[in-house]
Amino acid sequence: MNNSTIESGKSIAIISYLTIIGAIIAIFMNLEKKNTFAAFHIRQALGIFVSFFLIGYFIGYFDSWMISSAFYIFYFILWIYGFLGVLQGEMKRIPLLGEQFQKIFKNIE
């Protein structure tokens, strides 16, 4: 991937990590340009947000602050890892879940 592709997709990729609404907006922004760098990070960010809400729903039933705190810290670290990948212009998959996010959201281009 060349630098022009990375630089043109960086702003869309950054938007995708802001919130789940940002990820949805980034999907629509990338429909015209079809930037592969942005699409990669949109899939990663969308995966982080969707899995956070799905798993977080069940974590909420635990009555332990240690479990819920560990959950929030884990997802915050995943988010930071992905966001730093955008800023550095790298297509690094998020540990543990990144490969699955790429497969699940493969239709997002």
Side-chain angles (χ1 to χ4, degrees):
M1 180 171 303
N2 56 19
N3 283 339
S4 65
T5 305
I6 292 172
E7 289 303 318
S8 65
K10 209 177 237 190
S11 61
I12 296 172
I14 288 172
I15 290 171
S16 71
Y17 280 99
L18 296 181
T19 61
I20 192 158
I21 295 170
I24 293 168
I25 290 170
I27 290 170
F28 287 108
M29 289 175 68
N30 199 39
L31 285 177
E32 294 176 15
K33 298 179 182 181
K34 301 283 185 193
N35 187 295
T36 56
F37 179 76
F40 174 84
H41 283 287
I42 290 169
R43 289 189 293 266
Q44 295 289 292
L46 192 60
I48 288 173
F49 292 126
V50 169
S51 65
F52 174 79
F53 290 122
L54 289 177
I55 297 170
Y57 179 77
F58 297 107
I59 294 292
Y61 286 112
F62 290 106
D63 205 20
S64 171
W65 64 270
M66 288 177 53
I67 294 172
S68 59
S69 297
F71 171 76
Y72 287 120
I73 291 169
F74 173 71
Y75 269 94
F76 182 68
I77 290 171
L78 290 182
W79 182 85
I80 290 291
Y81 187 85
F83 192 72
L84 288 177
V86 170
L87 296 179
Q88 295 169 352
E90 298 174 351
M91 292 176 58
K92 295 189 295 189
R93 287 187 171 89
I94 294 169
L96 302 174
L97 304 171
E99 185 66 37
Q100 299 304 321
F101 295 157
Q102 292 299 315
K103 289 178 185 176
I104 293 169
F105 299 113
K106 65 180 175 239
N107 295 332
I108 297 174
E109 295 179 2

